[in-house]
Amino acid sequence: MVLSPSPAPAPSPAAAAAPARTKLTHSGGVLQKNREFLDFFWDIAKPEQEIRLMAISGLLEYLRSSEGDDLEYTIQRLIEGLAATRETARPGFSLALAQVLQCKETILLRTILEQIKKKHDINITKKKFIRNAVFGNFFGVLALSQSGRLIKEPDILLESIQLLQSLSKYRQYLRDLPAKTIMDILSETPENVFKKILFGALQEDMSSAFSTPAQLHLLLVALQRFPKVLKPKNLKKLLGSSAILSPENVAKLIELLKVAARSVKKDQTLPPLALDLVRVTLQEGTFEMFWKDVVENGLLKEPSGPTSYFCFRLLGASLPLLSLSQLNLVLTGEVMRQYGDHVVIAQLPKRFRFGPEMTNLVDSFLESTQDEAKQFMVIKGFSSLTNYGHPVIPSYWKVVCRLQSSVLVKYVDWLKNMFTSPDFDICTEFSTKRQKENKQAIDRTQHSVVRLRSWIVARLISIVDNWQVKKEEDLVMDIARFIFFHAFFGAKRYTSDIPETEVTLTIPLDEKTRDMMESSFFCLLNHLNSLPPLGDSAELGDKNEKRVFGVTADGNLWIYCLVQYASVLLSQERSVQAVKPFTQIQRKAWDRMLQSVEDLQKKSKTARKQEASAFQLLFLLVGIQLFKVGEDSLALLSDLHKCVEEWEQKKIKKHSTHVTRKEEPDWVEVMVEILLSFLSQPNRLMRQVSKMVFTRICPHVTKEALQLILDVFNPESEEGEESALIVTEDFEKSQTKADWSNDDEMEDESDSDESEEEEDNNDNDDGADDSDEDKSEEDAEEEREEAVDENFRMELMKVLQTTNAISKEGESSSDEEADDETMMALDKNIAALFSERKKRLQAAKDKKEKMMKEKALRKNFKIKVLDLIEVFLAKQPENPLIFDIIEPLIAIIEENLSSHSNQQEQDYLRKAADIFKNQLCKAKTYCQNISEMKEDLHKLMERLVSRASKQSDSSVSLYCFSGALYLLRVLKGKAINPAITDKTEKGEKAKTGQVDSFGNMDMKKVTELYQGALTLFMTRRKCSLTGSMFGNLFSRFPVMCERLLPLAIVSITDGIREHQRGQACCLVLQALQSQDVRQSFPGDKWNELITEVISQVTQCLKTVTAVKLKVEQEEVRKCLELVQFLVKTVTQQRLDISLAELTSVLQSLEELEDACKISDLYWHVMKLLGFKKPQKVKVKAQLPNPAAAPGPLKKKKGFLPETKKRKNWKKKKTPTLENEQIKKENPDGKSDEAPKATSDRMDKKKKKKFRKRKKTPKENAAGNTEKTQEPPAKKSKKKSDGGKSNQLG
């Protein structure tokens, strides 16, 4: 890494923060550098790379402008830093030295090299500093190399190479760094310098190239860099052979590559040696021998994982280097088979998977190369790697987006040819270990064909679905026609009008494949319906225009193009045969559907475009379903035709009062029923189409049609849905089985192969034990659930009595009474009885599972129907039918909030709550014309408030209360319609007072309603209403705040509990802070209001006796917040209100226990009243006098106690003045302190050891009550220590 010294970056953070200082000179003559200059070296050693680079740039800029000894000091300091102990500091100093040498070319490299060798001389360095010295020499040479001047001085270059060679023996520190540095130097060395100087120095290393991977890599780099110097004759002198790869060197290369593969096991990368070896073999023309003999017959035979992953990485990394023939050799060889086997067996969890890494390698190759032939060869080779016909790469492979357009078309043609004429000879087929051992005679041909065709269809659909793949409309249409043709038709003979008849199927499609293709076709329709514009059509039109999905460039729907293609197929009966031929009725319905679509296309250009496009989409979807479910589609088409006719008649007779066909439902109701039937099917296409159609017809939705949707959420209507949902379940099973059977088979095989390998390695025992335990637990649970059946016991008794197997009452039993025939008959009867019981239990279990599945289907159906509710609320926010949705949504939340046991119910509840909260209550616009239904809305509001107060869960109560507030907003009608932008209209509204009026709201009823709710909240102990609900009411509707304020003021003292009283204070404070409330109390009324509030707060504070509990603290805190506002109001507005009583009550609060928990707010209020918080006098703790203090003296820190000092017992101590003084004070010669401390310490040790050692069960059983004795040695040692301490004392 070379840092350009020209730009001067900003100074380092340390330098910027430090003040500028001048240079100081020590009195002794030692030069003291300024702070800014020294900070550069500190920053160079920091671990952050940005700070290091900035410091190096700052240092270079400083050296350019400085004079004197700074350069010499810099060189010295940088050379010392090369051997720093911190790993991040060494590269920083090395890079800084390289930049200084590059900037100051007057510095001799020989001088620098000599200083490095002298400073970090390994021969004279102590053993514990050898590691630092080794790193110092290495980073010194690295700095010389990075300076760019090493190549200009061949002598220094030779010495540097020799120094690196000498450092190679310290592999425990540097590993392969010296060899890699030599190779980096060789990559920049001219050929003449290598030939004259370095060849002789490196000749010994290159001659032993087959000794280590590093030496082999050195030779490979030299061969690529200097081919004229290392000619075959020179190479033969070095190695004994004129080429790297020769028959005698194969075994050596295999061993070296194994060592290289194991060396990068943790890094999971490809060694650079491998690619250089591939390049050299390509130059020598021995790549085929290298791949066959070294890789496939050598490395792959090694059972270890690193060598296999080495081969896989080598395959992916060498793709850009190979020609077409070499690519064919690699992609059809044993390495690919081994890779496929790894992919199959690595599908189990907690297994290393190489698939993502191979995907990245192929992706980088396809992105880098522009050769179409190579791209097609690689994508074809990986698609041909099959296991019993099924390719191992996923059907949705992201590398396909890298293919060029021509290659993509060619690849799609190849896939279609493989579908029509499966050719397994061109596939790289492999079998797993278990499959090879399976010797059963099974015809795998048909099985492989089914697996291959299912994968091809999934791959074609993924090409259409992947928006990153660059494709044209012709290619998409070609894929859709191909899948549709083979799903529902078959070719009789070739015709030019139908390209799909050109190639006939070599192996006919079986029923399983047909079902799979039918399901895949409707999956493709779903992708086409949401497909963005392709090609040039994506750039057409205005940028601000909303993009339309699911249409072609000419504006036609993709499904319409397919219907036209199907019509062509039906007209070519001589060349094409339908799998399920149409009956005469179905054909008439098809023709009528086409005619209706054409008529609707003409009408879609008029003002009724939305409805016409909705009918058109439904006709096309139901019509194309004639090929799959003919009878059901006929009924739906008939209903659609009636809907269209009635829709057209209503358009003509819009103002007519003539009423006809009262008994028949409206066309919108029929459409809603059709959409609900679509949603009951487990098909994403049906769900998406239903949502699109309902979006276009929702302006015509009537109350009856909306009620059909809401009835789905009624629990009483679930019984009527049971039959339809059971049919849906069967359809889902068949579809799922058809879609995923092939993948499941592949996974089953992978599981079996993996389990066998794990059994061989004894790694899968835990999983088997866990599965057995799970099964046993399930069986035990079933046995516990099965109660003793008295009827079964009676039947069993009857069977035994009929054969005299047991004696009746009063009779004696004998074993000789029953012969063999009787016992055989008894066995059959008992077996039949138990078999019947087993069937009954299984039937009950199946019934239970069926009920659970039906319940899940119902819940899933309801989740889909919520889409229609969401669309209606979003598209028709001003429709009065919205009010009919409020209570059903709340009922959903009530029903599921306490029973969301699984993820599906949680999603259902979350979606319903989100629709109610965001789409309904937070809607920006709402119904304005409510004069005729205001009474109903008032009753609905009353029901919601009553419902909120009766809930057991406050979260449900919140939704009910929010719905009531939404109705209150609608009734008040204060919000102005955003469409009204005329200033004159706004001015008229302001003059007439319409904006500030109550609208359609009956203020008396509403006030009584919310007064009752607030009273209930304040006087009821357990109430689901919360203070935040009323706070929201006060903030959003100040007119209600004014009318509920007196009740809130009274509740400050009348609240049943502390929480209610505190919430009352919050509500009063919120009301008083409102500007609207302030304006509604002019003059003396405002004084009276403030006086009343102060009186209530004073009475509330008088009742406070303690603030220990959290609720008590919260009550006092809320009161103090209100008092703070009141005092500020009285003071600032200079109101004639006395605060004497309030002040005295506040002063009494200071004496309460735990008053410190509200101290800050309390004294803030008292400060407003003119009181100051008393300051606490801090008294310094007096230190005791050590001379006067009784007891033992404290030990001096840093000195060893006398009891710990080792003394010579044989040698008598000479008497000193201090010892004489001690003898005088203690005539017995014993100390008062030391023995006591020693004995205490000994007691602690005994207790600790006694605590560690416990009695064994044998001792307890024998009744041994003696104390556990210590070992003699330890005991004697302890005694001796104690004796020493006593004597020392």
Side-chain angles (χ1 to χ4, degrees), residues 745-783:
E745 289 174 4
M746 183 176 179
E747 291 179 1
D748 293 340
E749 291 177 1
S750 66
D751 293 345
S752 60
D753 299 330
E754 182 61 21
S755 62
E756 181 176 341
E757 291 190 1
E758 295 293 341
E759 286 174 3
D760 296 338
N761 297 328
N762 294 327
D763 293 335
N764 199 30
D765 296 338
D766 296 338
D769 295 340
D770 294 340
S771 62
D772 294 340
E773 289 178 2
D774 294 339
K775 291 180 180 179
S776 62
E777 289 178 0
E778 291 178 1
D779 296 339
E781 185 177 357
E782 291 178 0
E783 292 177 359

Side-chain angles (χ1 to χ4, degrees), residues 107-151:
I107 303 175
L108 298 178
L109 294 185
R110 178 171 295 280
T111 304
I112 300 300
L113 185 61
E114 289 178 355
Q115 291 183 12
I116 292 172
K117 290 182 178 180
K118 182 178 180 182
K119 182 65 178 177
H120 309 295
D121 191 356
I122 302 176
N123 298 324
I124 62 176
T125 304
K126 294 183 179 180
K127 186 176 181 180
K128 62 179 180 179
F129 297 119
I130 288 181
R131 181 176 183 272
N132 296 339
V134 169
F135 277 110
N137 284 277
F138 170 73
F139 281 103
V141 176
L142 187 62
L144 298 178
S145 175
Q146 291 177 343
S147 66
R149 297 171 51 190
L150 192 60
I151 309 302

Side-chain angles (χ1 to χ4, degrees), residues 328-529:
N328 187 34
L329 171 68
V330 169
L331 296 174
T332 58
E334 191 62 30
V335 178
M336 282 291 286
R337 291 187 175 88
Q338 193 80 12
Y339 170 71
D341 186 78
H342 161 76
V343 173
V344 171
I345 67 175
Q347 292 183 358
L348 287 176
K350 298 182 180 180
R351 293 282 297 179
F352 175 71
R353 300 183 181 183
F354 190 80
E357 188 173 347
M358 181 63 77
T359 300
N360 294 332
L361 292 172
V362 177
D363 185 72
S364 61
F365 163 74
L366 295 176
E367 185 180 10
S368 61
T369 184
Q370 300 297 325
D371 192 341
E372 297 180 0
K374 288 186 177 181
Q375 279 193 346
F376 179 71
M377 176 69 73
V378 171
I379 195 69
K380 175 186 172 184
F382 278 93
S383 300
S384 302
L385 181 61
T386 58
N387 173 245
Y388 282 144
H390 196 288
V392 297
I393 61 174
S395 59
Y396 190 92
W397 209 24
K398 68 175 185 178
V399 302
V400 181
C401 64
R402 303 295 185 185
L403 297 178
Q404 301 181 26
S405 300
S406 58
V407 179
L408 182 62
V409 174
K410 190 176 180 181
Y411 179 56
V412 170
D413 293 338
W414 179 80
L415 290 174
K416 293 192 297 184
N417 292 333
M418 287 294 292
F419 181 90
T420 56
S421 303
D423 186 6
F424 294 104
D425 294 335
I426 65 174
C427 295
T428 308
E429 182 71 20
F430 69 93
S431 301
T432 59
K433 183 179 179 182
R434 187 179 184 86
Q435 291 169 349
K436 292 177 182 177
E437 294 177 355
N438 189 6
K439 299 180 180 181
Q440 296 180 2
I442 302 176
D443 185 13
R444 289 283 184 177
T445 304
Q446 184 64 27
H447 182 64
S448 300
V449 171
V450 172
R451 288 162 61 87
L452 177 62
R453 283 175 171 171
S454 64
W455 182 88
I456 290 175
V457 173
R459 167 53 61 89
L460 292 174
I461 294 176
S462 69
I463 292 175
V464 177
D465 181 31
N466 191 354
W467 59 273
Q468 293 181 338
V469 177
K470 300 177 182 179
K471 49 189 177 291
E472 299 296 333
E473 287 187 356
D474 295 338
L475 180 63
V476 175
M477 193 62 198
D478 186 27
I479 294 174
R481 287 162 58 114
F482 178 81
I483 295 177
F484 177 78
F485 178 82
H486 291 287
F488 303 107
F489 291 90
K492 290 182 179 179
R493 62 179 184 178
Y494 171 71
T495 177
S496 58
D497 296 336
I498 305 174
E500 286 73 22
T501 59
E502 183 178 358
V503 180
T504 58
L505 297 173
T506 57
I507 302 176
L509 297 177
D510 58 352
E511 184 179 357
K512 185 177 181 180
T513 308
R514 291 278 187 191
D515 295 339
M516 178 271 301
M517 294 201 67
E518 289 179 2
S519 302
S520 300
F521 170 72
F522 286 101
C523 179
L524 176 64
L525 273 184
N526 182 32
H527 297 317
L528 291 175
N529 197 33

Side-chain angles (χ1 to χ4, degrees), residues 180-248:
K180 292 179 180 179
T181 306
I182 293 175
M183 285 180 267
D184 293 338
I185 294 175
L186 289 181
S187 62
E188 301 175 357
T189 303
E191 187 174 351
N192 57 349
V193 175
F194 174 77
K195 183 177 181 180
K196 294 179 182 179
I197 299 175
L198 298 184
F199 181 72
L202 299 175
Q203 187 172 2
E204 183 178 356
D205 292 338
M206 291 188 293
S207 60
S208 57
F210 293 107
S211 300
T212 61
Q215 293 173 337
L216 176 61
H217 194 193
L218 176 64
L219 177 59
L220 294 175
V221 171
L223 279 172
Q224 297 177 77
R225 178 68 178 157
F226 315 108
K228 296 181 180 180
V229 178
L230 295 174
K231 296 180 180 180
K233 60 179 182 179
N234 295 334
L235 194 61
K236 189 171 184 179
K237 294 179 181 179
L238 292 174
L239 303 178
S241 60
S242 58
I244 293 293
L245 188 61
S246 60
E248 57 270 14

Side-chain angles (χ1 to χ4, degrees), residues 715-914:
E716 298 178 357
S717 64
E718 291 185 355
E719 297 178 0
E721 301 167 7
E722 185 174 359
S723 59
L725 292 174
I726 293 174
V727 175
T728 303
E729 179 188 359
D730 297 337
F731 175 78
E732 184 181 14
K733 285 183 179 179
S734 62
Q735 183 183 13
T736 307
K737 187 176 181 181
D739 288 343
W740 303 104
S741 59
N742 299 298
D743 296 337
D744 292 340
E745 289 174 4
M746 183 176 179
E747 291 179 1
D748 293 340
E749 291 177 1
S750 66
D751 293 345
S752 60
D753 299 330
E754 182 61 21
S755 62
E756 181 176 341
E757 291 190 1
E758 295 293 341
E759 286 174 3
D760 296 338
N761 297 328
N762 294 327
D763 293 335
N764 199 30
D765 296 338
D766 296 338
D769 295 340
D770 294 340
S771 62
D772 294 340
E773 289 178 2
D774 294 339
K775 291 180 180 179
S776 62
E777 289 178 0
E778 291 178 1
D779 296 339
E781 185 177 357
E782 291 178 0
E783 292 177 359
R784 289 193 298 267
E785 291 178 356
E786 295 170 6
V788 179
D789 191 353
E790 294 295 335
N791 295 329
F792 173 74
R793 178 179 293 180
M794 294 301 296
E795 292 177 1
L796 181 60
M797 294 290 291
K798 289 179 182 179
V799 171
L800 295 177
Q801 287 177 0
T802 53
T803 56
N804 296 326
I806 60 175
S807 61
K808 297 181 181 180
E809 295 181 4
E811 297 181 1
S812 61
S813 61
S814 177
D815 296 337
E816 298 178 358
E817 294 179 359
D819 54 1
D820 294 340
E821 296 180 0
T822 305
M823 295 302 295
M824 292 295 293
L826 177 63
D827 291 342
K828 291 181 181 180
N829 294 334
I830 293 177
L833 184 62
F834 274 96
S835 177
E836 183 181 356
R837 180 174 182 267
K838 186 177 180 181
K839 290 179 181 179
R840 274 200 313 271
L841 295 176
Q842 185 63 32
K845 185 178 179 181
D846 295 342
K847 184 178 179 180
K848 183 179 179 181
E849 292 179 356
K850 185 178 180 181
M851 292 175 63
M852 295 296 294
K853 291 180 180 178
E854 290 177 3
K855 183 180 178 182
L857 286 172
R858 291 194 197 97
K859 196 69 67 177
N860 191 25
F861 175 59
K862 292 179 180 180
I863 292 175
K864 296 177 184 178
V865 177
L866 281 177
D867 291 342
L868 305 183
I869 299 293
E870 186 176 9
V871 169
F872 187 76
L873 292 174
K875 298 296 182 180
Q876 297 291 315
E878 298 182 2
N879 197 320
L881 294 177
I882 285 182
F883 304 125
D884 297 335
I885 303 177
I886 296 177
E887 288 186 303
L889 286 179
I890 292 177
I892 294 174
I893 298 173
E894 286 179 352
E895 179 186 357
N896 295 272
L897 188 63
S898 59
S899 62
H900 51 281
S901 57
N902 54 16
Q903 185 64 36
Q904 188 185 35
E905 293 184 355
Q906 292 181 15
D907 295 339
Y908 179 46
L909 173 63
R910 189 180 297 111
K911 186 168 186 178
D914 179 71

Side-chain angles (χ1 to χ4, degrees), residues 930-943 967 971 1000-1002 1005:
I930 59 171
S931 57
E932 298 179 358
M933 53 187 313
K934 58 182 180 180
E935 294 297 332
D936 297 334
L937 294 182
H938 280 90
K939 293 179 181 179
L940 178 58
M941 186 193 302
E942 292 177 5
R943 291 198 302 269
L967 294 176
L971 289 170
N1000 295 292
M1001 182 173 57
D1002 188 345
K1005 289 184 178 179

